[in-house]
Amino acid sequence: MLRRPVFAGLLALLLWLLPPHPDSRAWGFYGHRSINRLAVYTLPPELVGFFKQRIEYLTVQATRPDSRRSVVPDEAPRHFIDLDRYGDSAVYRLPRSYADAVAHFGEDSLQRHGIVPWHVVRMKAQLTEAFRRRDGDRIASLAADMGHYIADACVPLHTTQNYNGQLTGQRGIHGLWESRLPELLASNYDFFTGPAPYIRNPTDVIWATVARSNAAVDSVLRFEKELSQRMPEDQKYGFEERGGRTQRVYSQEFSREYHRRLNGQVERQMRLAVRLVGAFWYTCWVDAGQPDLRSLAPPSDAELQRLAAEEKQAQSAPPVNAPGHTD
């Protein structure tokens, strides 16, 4: 048997070799749930009552699309788009119509490289129809999901094939930017965005959002690499207890310095996400004819049962082989 000091040393080495946490998906639980929750308060009086009555639902269900990734084959591509797979100026040259994009590139190719802007436009039509039909359960479900995808479109690393720094020796940067930094520092962010505006051309807006996110990829990667070259490994990483487990994480010193170099970038993108989520919800309602939602009941028993069944399936089903941003 190994002596305890030797075993402890081997365990520490194993933990050190593991990739840093948190997971490299989306904004993490904290970010997505905060964005959906804050977006509710951007809505006008005619709409805010319906959403405030369901604010806990919208908050908790904000992370549901990530849970579906492991069981729904078509889910993963809805969270990202690898613009660099399509060459220079791709964000301006790609077809805005999904049907046109399929005709030009083929659906398999689009699914491999991500479809987030097209999917947001598709969800805009679905949520507008749900408002038109005054289907309270469907409105809340679609709004929660839509908030997730819009927030993902605001993340620079959701617009590149080098989504986790795996191509440049920076593995783990995804979780650093969109989970570690907000969890440490978002308590000091200014999330005041003003009232949600009406979006006259949702397609143009979501593509402009993806373009803005993609323009930040260079600084996201460069500042992390420069800082990593200056800071020794034992200062860059540390260990924290999470959920009863010891996990390797980016140190607070490294995270705060990286955040300083980004000069408010994470805060700006998170605030943009809050404003856009509220604006898309509001636009769908206006385009549906501004229906009166005051008489609609909170989430029904049927909806809560559906969510419970979906969660149970996600926990028990074998993971699917879904391409895209899973490293």
Side-chain angles (χ1 to χ4, degrees), residues 114-222:
I115 61 169
V116 64
W118 292 297
H119 189 63
V120 168
V121 173
R122 178 188 302 162
M123 291 210 71
K124 192 274 172 186
Q126 294 173 345
L127 182 54
T128 300
E129 180 59 23
F131 273 121
R132 187 174 291 118
R133 296 173 54 189
R134 298 180 71 252
D135 185 337
D137 283 349
R138 185 151 175 80
I139 292 169
S141 178
L142 290 171
D145 282 1
M146 181 188 241
H148 184 106
Y149 301 122
I150 292 171
D152 278 354
C154 295
V155 175
L157 292 168
H158 278 253
T159 68
T160 174
Q161 59 184 316
N162 191 24
Y163 57 90
N164 197 24
Q166 76 279 10
L167 304 180
T168 50
Q170 297 171 272
R171 193 180 301 276
I173 192 173
H174 201 144
L176 169 64
W177 191 97
E178 60 188 12
S179 292
R180 180 66 167 166
L181 297 188
E183 287 171 4
L184 282 176
L185 301 160
S187 61
N188 294 317
Y189 289 176
D190 176 9
F191 286 120
F192 180 74
T193 67
Y198 176 77
I199 302 174
R200 297 196 176 278
N201 194 323
T203 297
D204 287 350
V205 167
I206 194 61
W207 279 95
T209 300
V210 168
R212 168 175 163 162
S213 299
N214 186 248
V217 169
D218 177 69
S219 60
V220 169
L221 295 169
R222 177 163 51 86

Side-chain angles (χ1 to χ4, degrees), residues 35-301:
I35 288 166
N36 267 14
R37 191 177 194 90
L38 290 164
V40 171
Y41 295 97
T42 70
L43 299 173
E46 301 90 340
L47 196 54
V48 73
F50 173 87
F51 277 83
K52 282 189 73 174
Q53 193 178 38
R54 295 159 177 79
I55 195 167
E56 294 303 325
Y57 175 101
L58 293 163
T59 301
V60 174
Q61 299 307 320
T63 58
R64 183 177 56 196
D66 276 338
S67 301
R68 287 199 301 260
R69 289 172 63 116
S70 62
V71 294
V72 178
D74 295 334
E75 180 61 43
R78 300 169 181 172
H79 298 248
F80 68 92
I81 181 169
D82 293 337
L83 291 173
D84 40 7
R85 293 282 190 174
Y86 296 98
D88 293 340
S89 303
V91 72
Y92 305 107
R93 295 187 295 103
L94 284 169
R96 297 311 191 236
S97 161
Y98 186 68
D100 291 344
V102 168
H104 192 274
F105 296 102
E107 189 152 25
D108 288 347
S109 179
L110 293 177
Q111 292 288 318
R112 276 197 306 276
H113 304 320
I115 61 169
V116 64
W118 292 297
H119 189 63
V120 168
V121 173
R122 178 188 302 162
M123 291 210 71
K124 192 274 172 186
Q126 294 173 345
L127 182 54
T128 300
E129 180 59 23
F131 273 121
R132 187 174 291 118
R133 296 173 54 189
R134 298 180 71 252
D135 185 337
D137 283 349
R138 185 151 175 80
I139 292 169
S141 178
L142 290 171
D145 282 1
M146 181 188 241
H148 184 106
Y149 301 122
I150 292 171
D152 278 354
C154 295
V155 175
L157 292 168
H158 278 253
T159 68
T160 174
Q161 59 184 316
N162 191 24
Y163 57 90
N164 197 24
Q166 76 279 10
L167 304 180
T168 50
Q170 297 171 272
R171 193 180 301 276
I173 192 173
H174 201 144
L176 169 64
W177 191 97
E178 60 188 12
S179 292
R180 180 66 167 166
L181 297 188
E183 287 171 4
L184 282 176
L185 301 160
S187 61
N188 294 317
Y189 289 176
D190 176 9
F191 286 120
F192 180 74
T193 67
Y198 176 77
I199 302 174
R200 297 196 176 278
N201 194 323
T203 297
D204 287 350
V205 167
I206 194 61
W207 279 95
T209 300
V210 168
R212 168 175 163 162
S213 299
N214 186 248
V217 169
D218 177 69
S219 60
V220 169
L221 295 169
R222 177 163 51 86
F223 291 142
E224 192 278 343
K225 184 171 284 292
E226 290 174 356
L227 184 57
S228 294
Q229 290 170 348
R230 290 184 58 252
M231 189 171 287
E233 289 269 311
D234 60 347
Q235 294 181 30
K236 180 177 179 179
Y237 299 110
F239 298 97
E240 291 182 2
E241 290 291 329
R242 294 190 171 196
R245 298 172 55 194
T246 301
Q247 295 183 348
R248 184 184 184 219
V249 298
Y250 290 95
S251 70
Q252 291 205 21
E253 180 185 2
F254 184 90
S255 301
R256 291 179 186 279
E257 177 59 21
Y258 180 49
H259 190 269
R260 186 190 68 77
R261 292 180 179 224
L262 290 171
N263 194 29
Q265 183 189 82
V266 178
E267 178 181 357
R268 288 192 299 274
Q269 291 302 107
M270 198 169 177
R271 188 166 58 236
L272 173 66
V274 171
R275 181 173 174 84
L276 282 178
V277 171
F280 268 87
W281 290 346
Y282 174 56
T283 300
C284 292
W285 176 71
V286 171
D287 289 352
Q290 304 181 39
D292 185 347
L293 307 176
R294 288 176 295 180
S295 64
L296 298 184
S300 67
D301 290 342

Side-chain angles (χ1 to χ4, degrees), residues 57 61 64 301-316:
Y57 175 101
Q61 299 307 320
R64 183 177 56 196
D301 290 342
E303 171 66 3
L304 296 177
Q305 290 170 8
R306 184 188 70 81
L307 291 173
E310 186 176 290
E311 182 178 358
K312 183 177 180 181
Q313 180 188 20
Q315 292 174 349
S316 61

